[in-house]
Amino acid sequence: MISLPAEFEQFHWMVDMVQNVDLGLVVLDRDCQVQVWNGFMTHHSGIQAHDAIGKSLFDIFPEIPQEWFRLKTKPVYDLGCRSFITWQQRPYLFKCRNVRPVTQQADFMYQNITLNPMRMPTGEVRSLFLSIQDATSEALVLTQQQSLK
């Protein structure tokens, strides 16, 4: 049996977690070029990582308003703080199919998104990562309750 260094095992586990977590993870540089595209994003968007990495977010999803999105990234880069996009503000950032069409009557996945700074050892923020949460169940319950009023 081959013994691997602990650091290699931890790195392998980290990559496995990023690829298999039930959360979309996308890393963007300051030019909005995709650096990381995890398995959740591949599964829900239908876009393979090799087709996303190195491309502009706006080339992959031309429906995203560039000026609006760049304003959302500004506090992340300028202040090093998180920024948020909730499904109530905009139902989705990435047009992804609803993967539970039988139990949930929605044509797309509602999303809550957090824009997180990624700091260099110097403290400089050169990239950010988006965490994309499927909020479809929550959105449908709330919209159904509102329609009953």
Side-chain angles (χ1 to χ4, degrees), residues 15-124:
V15 169
D16 197 38
M17 284 188 295
V18 165
Q19 287 304 321
N20 293 298
V21 69
D22 196 26
L23 189 71
L25 296 173
V26 177
V27 175
L28 301 174
D29 65 15
R30 281 188 175 262
D31 295 324
C32 293
Q33 301 291 314
V34 175
Q35 306 298 308
V36 172
W37 188 263
N38 80 336
F40 177 98
M41 292 303 296
T42 296
H43 174 70
H44 292 282
S45 72
I47 298 169
Q48 297 295 317
H50 64 267
D51 292 326
I53 294 173
K55 303 236 174 39
S56 167
L57 179 68
F58 308 114
D59 288 341
I60 303 167
F61 293 93
E63 67 275 9
I64 297 174
Q66 287 190 44
E67 189 175 325
W68 169 83
F69 184 76
R70 289 187 190 279
L71 281 173
K72 286 296 204 178
T73 67
K74 194 165 174 42
V76 179
Y77 288 119
D78 294 352
L79 305 173
C81 63
R82 290 179 172 172
S83 182
F84 303 91
I85 303 168
T86 66
W87 69 265
Q88 293 97 332
Q89 296 170 319
R90 181 180 173 88
Y92 58 85
L93 181 64
F94 303 101
K95 180 95 183 222
C96 294
R97 66 186 188 272
N98 176 17
V99 295
R100 293 174 272 191
V102 173
T103 58
Q104 295 182 348
Q105 302 304 312
D107 295 331
F108 55 86
M109 177 201 304
Y110 287 81
Q111 299 161 3
N112 286 329
I113 299 172
T114 305
L115 292 79
N116 304 277
M118 296 186 73
R119 298 184 192 284
M120 302 296 292
T122 62
E124 179 186 7

Side-chain angles (χ1 to χ4, degrees), residues 126-141:
R126 290 190 194 165
S127 300
L128 60 80
F129 78 91
L130 305 169
S131 56
I132 299 96
Q133 176 189 12
D134 182 350
T136 307
S137 294
E138 170 191 340
L140 290 178
V141 167

